[in-house]
Structures are given as structure tokens and as C-alpha cells.
Amino acid sequence: MENMDTDDMNNSFDSSVFPDLLPLYYRRLFPFALYHKWLRYDDDKLFVNKEFSFTLKDDVYIRYQSFRDEEELRKEVIQKCPYKIDIGAVYSCRPSDQRTASNFQPLEKELVFDIDMTDYDEVRTCCSGADICKKCWPFMTVALKILDRALREDFGFKHLLWVYSGRRGIHCWVCDKQARELSPAARSAIVEYLSVVKGGEYKSKKVHLPETLHPSLKQADKIISKYFDDLMLIKQELLKSGFAKCTTSQEKWATLVSVDDKAMAKGVKNRSKHFVTEVQFQLCYPRLDINVTKGLNHLLKAPFCVHPKTGRVCVPIDIKTVDSFDPFTVPTISSLCKEIDEYDASLKEANKNEETTDEDQVSATPKIEDFNKTSLRTSIETFRKFVKNLNCS
């Protein structure tokens, strides 16, 4: 994989097989039971009134789907075989009844965040648009670490589900009861608190830090500083051109920092006290889609969907191992189906070679869940632990 170019890494999936493999994926691998446990929380009504939306083949879009229980969800998903599932708010009545209901309105929803690599196009040099590679993925690692720390330590939230989007970004679902019941105004306040990089594409300076840094910004600075040299100076080669007397980006950056230190020592006027930190923040601080977070009626792609372009599953990311998370090793729907076939074939061969064929012995063999036959089992286990902790709190 290290020797593959960006195009190979982003386009290795044969999307023509997607329609044929998706029904098998939903029947054998999609974690319906865990979904139900997650979204019902401690009240069945929360699941019954939860909005699901389906994007079907040829971009047919169906909003305001709702289900009574796990079995109804399973039945509809397997029958309709959506290319994408989005999850929305809990409404005042069943979303499927919204046309005949009076005063239909959203009541609560997980506090969600969406970080998309395309928003880093102005600062990454290796890729653009929907493409990603190992040189730019650390932007997502930094974003996850900064936001996770702030949401847990600054706001006291405990139940955060981080999910790879399947292609070029990450999502966060904050599932604490207090978070789910936040008003749109409170959600806007939180996302504003977490937004540091501000301004459109025509604004050159997008970070303006106060003279006295808030403790949250100091913590973010520590995280960015840990990754900055490797990400921006080595992987992104930020200062590849210019500064003719210097040979590497590290040397050029050291020169820039030295000049700034001298300017500070001389008390040069009209300079930012945190010039270097502002540059680092503008390059590396999380770039949030504010509208996704603040709106109660906004939908977000569900975990364990399969991205139709890459074939990769939208798997949960374990915060404890985020530094080693590699989007290019996330299983695809093709690899998972192949793993099931290979496991079943090897099991059949093993049974054929058994000296005894006692039916009682065969029937007593415990049934292995299909996901345990595949590389998806680690992701399912991460999700299972999250749901268990959620229900135990």
C-alpha cells in the first residue's frame, strides 16, 4: 500500500459490484440489534419516533422513515436495500405519520459534528476534492483529538461515537442525554465555541486569537504542536518553495519562528502576540460544518453504511487507537463478502475431513455470527462497547 499512488488508493474499488453485494451485506453483516439498542437509549419511544432516511439506487431519496422495532428496521432495510442510510431527530410523533400529524416537530437529536477533508484543500498539498492519502489523513486525527478533548473536558460529555465516513472525513455523535436535548441555540453556541478557523476562500487570515489564550485553545495548541512538524513540514512540505538559503521545510519554519521571536523581543508594534500559533491553527485546527451541528432537522450518514464509491464501511473509530487508524485498511464490502465465503469454505472443508460425522456433535457446534468471520469484527466490538457503556450510565 505504501507504494500505491493517490489515484490507486482512492479508486481501487470496483463499484459495479456494489448493487449485487449490498443485499448480502445487509442480511449477514449489518448490526441491526446494536442499532436498536443504541437509538432506543432507555425508552422505546425514542426509537419509534426517530427519523431514518434512505437513498436508494439512482438517487431516489426517501425521508421520514420510522420503525417500531429492530425487526421492522431490518425488514425494511433488507427489502429496500438503501445505498445510504441517514439518521435524524426524534420527532413529536412517528416521522412516517408526519403528513397527517398536527404540530409535527423535532424534539431531540444527538449533537453531531462533520469534518470533511475537502475543507482542508487550501492547506493540503497532496490531494484535493474527494481524494485522500496517508499524507493528509493526519488532519482528521488532529481534528478528532482536539474535538474529543474539548467535548469531554470542557463540556463534560461522556458518550462520543467517532465514525469514519467511508471516504474522506469523520463524524462524531455525542449521545449523552444532555447533549441530545440541547436546543438549536445551545448547539450553535457549542459549535461557535469550537470554531476557530473562520472566513471564506477569499479571506487570507482566518484565525484571530485573543491576547490571553483560553485554556481550551492552549490544549488545542499542545495537540497541534505535537503533530505540526510531521504533518505540515514533512508530509505536506508546507514551505517547499521560497527562502532560497534554506533547504528543508523544517529549516524554513525554524527561520520564520526565529524572526517572530526577535520581533516579539523588540516589541514590534502591530504584530499578533500569537502569530506562530495562529498560523499553526489556520493550517491544522478542525474545520467544522456548522450547519450540520446546529440544526435539529439535519441528517447525518449512519454508522456501518457502505460508501458506494469506495466500497468502504463507515466504521467506528476507537479513540484509544486513533493514531494508528488507517482509512485504507478499512474493509470494503467486496473484501468482507470474500472473507465470509473463504471462512465458510474452510469450515466446510474441515467438517468434510472430520473422522466423525455424529449429527448431535454437529448440531451442538455453536453458530458463529457472520461478522466474526470477517475483519469487521473489531469495528463491531468497538460499537458494542460504546452501546454497552451508553446503556449502563
Side-chain angles (χ1 to χ4, degrees):
M1 182 65 79
E2 291 289 347
N3 296 321
M4 294 177 69
D5 61 27
T6 302
D7 289 338
D8 288 338
M9 295 169 79
N10 286 287
N11 299 308
S12 57
F13 174 67
D14 179 5
S15 58
S16 66
V17 303
F18 184 76
D20 296 325
L21 298 181
L22 195 58
L24 177 63
Y25 174 78
Y26 282 133
R27 285 199 312 269
R28 301 187 67 172
L29 292 171
F30 195 82
F32 290 105
L34 287 175
Y35 248 78
H36 182 250
K37 288 180 181 178
W38 168 33
L39 295 175
R40 73 171 293 278
Y41 296 100
D42 56 354
D43 185 350
D44 283 328
K45 189 176 180 180
L46 295 178
F47 183 84
V48 172
N49 289 354
K50 187 77 168 175
E51 179 190 1
F52 292 80
S53 83
F54 292 166
T55 303
L56 309 182
K57 185 179 179 181
D58 299 323
D59 291 327
V60 176
Y61 188 54
I62 310 174
R63 277 201 71 168
Y64 302 116
Q65 305 288 293
S66 58
F67 309 102
R68 293 184 179 86
D69 51 31
E70 173 197 337
E71 282 308 309
E72 189 170 86
L73 171 65
R74 183 192 303 270
K75 179 181 177 181
E76 285 297 304
V77 168
I78 290 175
Q79 180 183 338
K80 289 189 169 70
C81 211
Y83 278 36
K84 186 175 73 156
I85 301 172
D86 289 291
I87 298 175
V90 174
Y91 283 82
S92 50
C93 68
R94 291 193 64 184
S96 55
D97 297 334
Q98 53 96 13
R99 295 194 178 188
T100 58
S102 59
N103 197 30
F104 177 71
Q105 59 182 337
L107 299 180
E108 66 173 70
K109 191 187 77 169
E110 295 79 9
L111 178 66
V112 297
F113 297 89
D114 181 10
I115 304 100
D116 195 311
M117 191 73 83
T118 56
D119 293 326
Y120 291 78
D121 278 359
E122 67 179 9
V123 296
R124 60 177 178 154
T125 60
C126 51
C127 306
S128 63
D131 288 339
I132 62 170
C133 71
K134 291 185 178 182
K135 289 183 178 181
C136 56
W137 183 255
F139 282 114
M140 295 294 102
T141 303
V142 172
L144 190 157
K145 288 202 167 188
I146 289 175
L147 294 175
D148 190 85
R149 188 219 62 81
L151 290 166
R152 292 181 192 276
E153 296 180 16
D154 299 356
F155 293 96
F157 297 132
K158 298 178 180 178
H159 304 290
L160 278 63
L161 178 65
W162 287 98
V163 181
Y164 169 52
S165 72
R167 190 174 195 183
R168 60 175 182 258
I170 54 176
H171 301 153
C172 179
W173 302 75
V174 186
C175 300
D176 301 59
K177 182 178 175 63
Q178 297 90 335
R180 303 195 314 264
E181 295 177 348
L182 288 170
S183 67
R187 293 166 193 262
S188 294
I190 290 174
V191 76
E192 184 67 26
Y193 171 88
L194 294 170
S195 296
V196 173
V197 182
K198 300 178 181 180
E201 60 179 310
Y202 300 109
K203 189 173 182 180
S204 57
K205 191 175 190 299
K206 298 182 180 180
V207 175
H208 297 270
L209 298 177
E211 187 163 328
T212 302
L213 288 184
H214 187 281
S216 185
L217 294 176
K218 290 181 180 179
Q219 292 298 319
D221 186 28
K222 288 181 181 178
I223 294 171
I224 290 173
S225 295
K226 178 182 176 182
Y227 289 87
F228 184 81
D229 283 10
D230 181 62
L231 172 55
M232 296 309 308
L233 304 182
I234 297 175
K235 288 184 169 67
Q236 296 299 315
E237 296 183 288
L238 172 66
L239 302 173
K240 190 174 183 179
S241 61
F243 291 106
K245 292 183 180 180
C246 301
T247 58
T248 67
S249 290
Q250 294 99 309
E251 289 177 331
K252 295 168 188 174
W253 179 255
T255 300
L256 186 151
V257 171
S258 176
V259 170
D260 183 64
D261 287 342
K262 291 177 182 177
M264 179 180 290
K266 291 180 180 179
V268 176
K269 295 182 179 180
N270 299 322
R271 64 172 297 281
S272 170
K273 179 181 177 182
H274 304 292
F275 169 72
V276 171
T277 304
E278 286 178 338
V279 172
Q280 290 180 314
F281 272 44
Q282 182 155 332
L283 294 169
C284 300
Y285 193 88
R287 297 172 177 235
L288 302 172
D289 187 332
I290 293 176
N291 292 324
V292 170
T293 302
K294 70 180 185 181
L296 272 177
N297 62 347
H298 203 289
L299 299 158
L300 188 63
K301 185 195 296 181
F304 291 99
C305 281
V306 180
H307 197 290
K309 295 287 180 62
T310 65
R312 300 197 186 278
V313 180
C314 302
V315 295
I317 301 173
D318 187 344
I319 184 65
K320 295 178 182 177
T321 58
V322 62
D323 280 307
S324 61
F325 179 81
D326 182 353
F328 300 108
T329 62
V330 171
T332 66
I333 190 172
S334 301
S335 67
L336 291 171
C337 292
K338 182 179 179 181
E339 287 171 10
I340 289 178
D341 288 343
E342 290 177 348
Y343 188 98
D344 288 347
S346 64
L347 188 64
K348 185 176 181 180
E349 185 66 25
N351 288 337
K352 186 194 301 183
N353 294 333
E354 285 290 332
E355 292 183 3
T356 60
T357 57
D358 186 275
E359 292 185 5
D360 290 335
Q361 182 179 343
V362 173
S363 62
T365 303
K367 178 175 171 54
I368 299 174
E369 293 183 273
D370 283 325
F371 71 83
N372 276 323
K373 303 174 183 177
T374 73
S375 52
L376 194 63
R377 60 183 176 274
T378 303
S379 301
I380 295 283
E381 188 56 33
T382 299
F383 189 41
R384 189 191 305 280
K385 288 178 180 177
F386 169 77
V387 172
K388 181 179 180 182
N389 291 335
L390 187 67
N391 293 331
C392 288
S393 62

